[in-house]
Structure formats: structure tokens, C-alpha cells
Amino acid sequence: MASRKEGSGAAGSGFSASKSKGKAAATGDSAVKQVQIDGLVVLKIIKHYQEEGQGNEVVQGVLLGLVVDDRLEITNCFPFPQHTEDDADFDEVQYQMEMMRSLRHVNIDHLHVGWYQSTYYGSFVTRALLDSQFSYQHAIEESVVLIYDPIKTAQGSLSLKAYRLTPKLMEVCKEKDFSPEALKKANIAYENMFEEVPIVIKNSYLINVMLWELEKKSAVADRHELLSLASSNHLGKSLQLLMDRVDEMSQDIVKYNTYLRNVSKQQQQKHQYQQRRQQENIQRQSRGEAPLPEEDINKLFKPPQPPPRLESLLIAGQINTYCQNIKEFNAQNLGKLFMAQALQDYNN
């Protein structure tokens, strides 16, 4: 993942999103249960990645639209421009405000309703994405993040998913307490960090007619290319990323076990200190002396700081995503194998 690009989404979201909070929230108070995306928005996202996305480089952009009852309608979008850290004069917040102002002048929906991001083999469950989405969702309750997977899309099936942070995770992020006790109290695991919102892609009747005409004109041989099983490179890359995350999880478990051992060792030291203190007071009382003054044992034995558990949850969520990708990959290849065999039998 490209940390520079990921961070840019969080930097611009807080200010510009808060500007449109009242306008977007005023259109509906109920929770978003469905995301409706115009076909033009999908094409813009795909075009943005094809023009600027290279390898594992992440592209991001702003989603515009409105909320109708419990449906979030995404009608337009625009990309974050590519820039480096050397571009000190570039103001991303000002850029977003100018873009939305220009769209408003030409009577196009300009309300901020979320953002989109491409992903590299499903590697989107990161701290940067969580911080960016929290910033958006805190300012605009109905906002979502669209995750576009160009690798899955290139295999013949559009991969576009909408996610939101769960209410439990939003509360923890507001408190900024990611200690093991806080996450356990909130009952947060990697399964309930994000919630997926169903997506519906809407096209006008004229676009549907055009797509139907293009499908009839497409050559049958071109469609047969989707049955190719030559995609072991994707499986190998997914497995490699999965192993990397498992290694990171193992290292995090070692750190947590070290913390538990330090806590146990300190508890033993505190217990031994209290016993020595008690025995010394008994001896002083037998000699007619005053007992030793009470001391704050927590000042003498400062408890070790627990390691934050948010990174562990994110790693576990990423491992789950990779496992789902591998499962879908195997199921897809199995389906291709059956279809290729059926087609061969039909031709024979």
C-alpha cells in the first residue's frame, strides 16, 4: 500500500466533509442500507486507476451525491490529483472546495458523501483507511468508502464494495483508547470492525440499450478468454501477502505475550514487597515501634503499558480478506473449469 496516497485521503476529509455535513445529513436521518451508484461514477473510478494506478500504487477520490431515505445515491466523483511530498504549495482541502464549488455552478450534485480507493490484492484494511473513514463518518454520518479492486475486475467481474465503520468501532475511535481492555469491553473483533453496504449500479435506459448492442456485437472468441485458468500468478501473490500478514500477526502475538509476562512478573514483585513490608511491621510492633508509613504501591511499581490492539485487529481483518480472496479465486477457477469442459463437450 502507498502510505503517501492513503494519508492524503484523511488529510482532506475532515475539513471539506464538515463543510457539507448539514446539507448531506439534512436529506435523511436513517442509516444507510443501500448504495446506489451511477454507471458514470464506476467508469470514472476505473478510468482514474487506469491512468494513474501503477502496480501497488493507490488512487483515491471524492464521492458526491445525496441521501434519499435509507439509500445513498452516488451521482458523481472526482479524483485526488497525484502529487509528491515536494509539492509544498499544493493545498488538498482548497482543491476539494474549488472542485465542489465548480460543480455547484454547473448544477451538478456537489454534496460530499464519502470517498473511494483502489486496492492491491485486497490490501485495504489499514490504519490509514480506518482513520480516513472515521474522519468522513464522524463529519457525515452516512458517508461510505468504495473499494475498487482492479485485479479482480481484470479477471472478468467488476469488484466494487462499499464499507462503513460499525457503531462500536466509531465509539472506540472517538475515545482513542485501543487498549485490550477497551476493545474487550466494546466487544470488538475483526469481524465487526467494518460493515459492508449492498451496492446497486444504475444506468439510464439509453446506456442499457447501448451496452446490449455492444454485447451482441462482441465476438464469441473474446468472451471465451474469461475461461482461461492461467492466473496462478494472482494466487501466488495472494498467498505471499497472506504469509506476510501471518508473520506480522506472529510478531504481534510475541509482543503481547511479553507484556503478559511482564505484568505477571510485576505482580509477583508487588506481592513479595507487600509480604516483606508486613513482616517488617510485625517486627517493629513487637519492639514497640511505630509501623512504617503507608506507601502508594502503584508509584513504586508502575504497571507496564499494554500494546495497542488496533493493529492486531487490522492484521486479522486483512488475513480474513486474503483468505476470502483465495476462496473466491479457487471457486472461480473451479467454475471456469466446469464451463470449459462443458463447452468442449458441446463442440465435440
Side-chain angles (χ1 to χ4, degrees), residues 155-175:
Q155 296 175 358
S157 177
L158 176 65
S159 179
L160 193 65
K161 295 183 179 181
Y163 291 98
R164 288 168 45 84
L165 301 185
T166 59
K168 291 182 178 180
L169 186 58
M170 285 292 295
E171 291 298 325
V172 173
C173 291
K174 288 178 183 177
E175 299 295 333

Side-chain angles (χ1 to χ4, degrees), residues 281-297:
N281 281 334
I282 292 175
Q283 293 176 1
R284 291 175 67 89
Q285 289 177 0
S286 65
R287 296 194 300 264
E289 300 176 357
L292 295 173
E294 294 291 336
E295 295 182 358
D296 188 358
I297 195 170

Side-chain angles (χ1 to χ4, degrees), residues 72-214:
L72 177 64
E73 296 184 2
I74 300 175
T75 57
N76 207 343
C77 68
F78 62 85
F80 289 135
Q82 289 277 14
H83 64 278
T84 63
E85 296 177 355
D86 298 332
D87 300 332
D89 298 335
F90 180 77
D91 188 342
E92 189 166 285
V93 175
Q94 184 65 25
Y95 167 78
Q96 293 184 48
M97 298 302 295
E98 290 178 358
M99 283 293 298
M100 289 187 290
R101 190 180 300 111
S102 300
L103 293 172
R104 183 172 65 250
H105 288 164
V106 293
N107 200 24
I108 295 178
D109 291 335
H110 61 278
L111 299 183
H112 223 141
V113 294
W115 60 297
Y116 70 84
Q117 174 180 301
S118 65
T119 183
Y120 178 69
Y121 285 96
S123 304
F124 64 89
V125 185
T126 62
R127 180 64 183 271
L129 181 135
L130 187 147
D131 292 340
S132 295
Q133 181 57 24
F134 171 74
S135 179
Y136 272 97
Q137 208 164 319
H138 180 66
I140 309 172
E141 185 179 357
E142 299 84 2
S143 62
V144 300
V145 53
L146 288 182
I147 301 297
Y148 168 65
D149 192 331
I151 297 176
K152 284 187 178 180
T153 302
Q155 296 175 358
S157 177
L158 176 65
S159 179
L160 193 65
K161 295 183 179 181
Y163 291 98
R164 288 168 45 84
L165 301 185
T166 59
K168 291 182 178 180
L169 186 58
M170 285 292 295
E171 291 298 325
V172 173
C173 291
K174 288 178 183 177
E175 299 295 333
K176 297 182 179 180
D177 183 6
F178 303 110
S179 62
E181 293 77 11
L183 295 178
K184 183 177 180 181
K185 182 179 179 181
N187 194 24
I188 292 180
Y190 69 88
E191 299 96 335
N192 54 11
M193 294 179 63
F194 297 91
E195 56 182 0
E196 184 177 352
V197 185
I199 288 179
V200 174
I201 298 178
K202 180 184 178 182
N203 287 322
S204 67
Y205 295 112
L206 292 177
I207 293 179
N208 287 331
V209 171
M210 183 189 70
L211 293 175
W212 180 258
E213 291 294 331
L214 292 176

Side-chain angles (χ1 to χ4, degrees), residues 202-330:
K202 180 184 178 182
N203 287 322
S204 67
Y205 295 112
L206 292 177
I207 293 179
N208 287 331
V209 171
M210 183 189 70
L211 293 175
W212 180 258
E213 291 294 331
L214 292 176
E215 183 178 3
K216 290 193 299 183
K217 294 179 181 179
S218 63
V220 177
D222 295 335
R223 282 184 263 180
H224 288 173
E225 294 179 359
L226 298 177
L227 301 178
S228 174
L229 300 178
S231 52
S232 58
N233 182 45
H234 299 303
L235 179 59
K237 188 63 178 180
S238 297
L239 289 172
Q240 182 62 48
L241 292 171
L242 175 60
M243 289 188 293
D244 293 341
R245 291 299 177 269
V246 171
D247 290 340
E248 292 179 8
M249 177 62 74
S250 300
Q251 296 174 5
D252 197 76
I253 291 174
V254 170
K255 294 179 182 178
Y256 188 69
N257 289 335
T258 302
Y259 160 74
L260 293 179
R261 285 196 299 268
N262 292 336
V263 171
S264 178
K265 183 179 179 180
Q266 189 182 75
Q267 291 295 333
Q268 293 178 358
Q269 292 175 350
K270 290 170 65 175
H271 183 67
Q272 293 173 359
Y273 174 80
Q274 289 173 340
Q275 285 184 334
R276 290 196 305 267
R277 189 87 169 177
Q278 186 177 7
Q279 291 176 359
E280 189 173 353
N281 281 334
I282 292 175
Q283 293 176 1
R284 291 175 67 89
Q285 289 177 0
S286 65
R287 296 194 300 264
E289 300 176 357
L292 295 173
E294 294 291 336
E295 295 182 358
D296 188 358
I297 195 170
N298 290 326
K299 292 183 179 179
L300 297 175
F301 299 92
K302 293 184 178 180
Q305 290 295 326
R309 302 301 293 165
L310 180 61
E311 292 298 330
S312 300
L313 289 178
L314 293 172
I315 294 174
Q318 193 63 70
I319 290 175
N320 181 66
T321 301
Y322 289 143
C323 291
Q324 291 293 333
N325 289 344
I326 294 172
K327 181 180 178 181
E328 293 175 2
F329 174 83
N330 291 334

